[in-house]
Amino acid sequence: MRHLMNPLDFSVEELDKLFDLANDIEKNPEKYAKKCAGKKLATCFYEPSTRTRLSFEAAMINLGGSVIGFSDANSSSAAKGESVSDTIRVISCFADICAMRHPKEGAAMVAAGKSKIPVINAGDGGHQHPTQTLTDLLTIRSLKGKLDHFTIGLCGDLKFGRTVHSLINALSRYEGIRFVFISPEELRVPDYITEMLREKDIPYAEVIKLEEVIGALDLLYMTRVQRERFFNEEDYVRLKDFYILDKKKLAKANQNMLILHPLPRVNEISVEVDDDPRAVYFEQVQYGVYVRMALILTLLELV
Ligand code: NCD
């Protein structure tokens, strides 16, 4: 039985197969409409989410399966003090597969250790968010036709943003990737990540100003400042509007650059950018459903 905790749990070849499947689902949805008939997905969300949870639920429903779960730790037995290990043992009796989001780093891994069904990490604290990364990679591969030889700028909260950490991990396995980290000093990418890049001899630069580097990017990954992971509100208020991508800044960017964002957006991309053909963050949401459908089928061994 397989779980998904980290994007690196799948080899590059396995990811290619998963993305081929996702693209086939996109083209031939009717072929997959009953693949999960009689199967149940449990969504165990101990932390707020709209898109990830609903994306999982839509994915399972599109496959003909059904969904159970909770979307708030206070409405689950966690409020009574139940451990994640006990909860997953119970859920294993009710469902065939589980997607779990938790504010604590490593929680999904603890659950996977006790689970009788595949567990998917749907975000663990500031650590990893592998299905967002699968979404990001599928979007890039579908729109650009490849996942190698890119200069990618990651902008915003690179310290607490788990989508950023997962995406860097995943992209570090492809040839010719150059990273440009764009963040205020306080929100720099963690040392363990830059150490990993140095060890693997992968080029990266760290800058503060987006305007200075935007012209050199093939991909720009914008992120929000992660308010819920700040220790004090004052720091959040000071940093929250550090980056606002607007038409003026975008004028300096390459015509083929893609703008991605895991969403939710707060202020970091002005709405005037939404109509620009380079802005693909809402298409990204749709790819998220296809890739979660492909993932459910793969982990349930239905392909
Ligand atoms: C992200 C997350 O939860 O980490 N959202 C998502 O799943 N698409 C990004 C965020 O919350 O900023």
Side-chain angles (χ1 to χ4, degrees), residues 130-149:
T131 61
Q132 182 61 48
T133 297
L134 299 182
T135 302
D136 303 337
L137 296 181
L138 176 65
T139 306
I140 298 167
R141 202 185 84 140
S142 303
L143 300 178
K144 289 282 195 188
K146 59 173 191 167
L147 283 168
D148 49 18
H149 296 91

Side-chain angles (χ1 to χ4, degrees), residues 13 53 59 62 114 192 196 203 227 290 296 300:
E13 293 71 32
R53 184 172 55 83
N62 290 346
K114 296 285 180 201
Y192 78 88
M196 178 276 286
R227 179 181 207 159
Y290 299 138
I296 291 170
L300 288 178

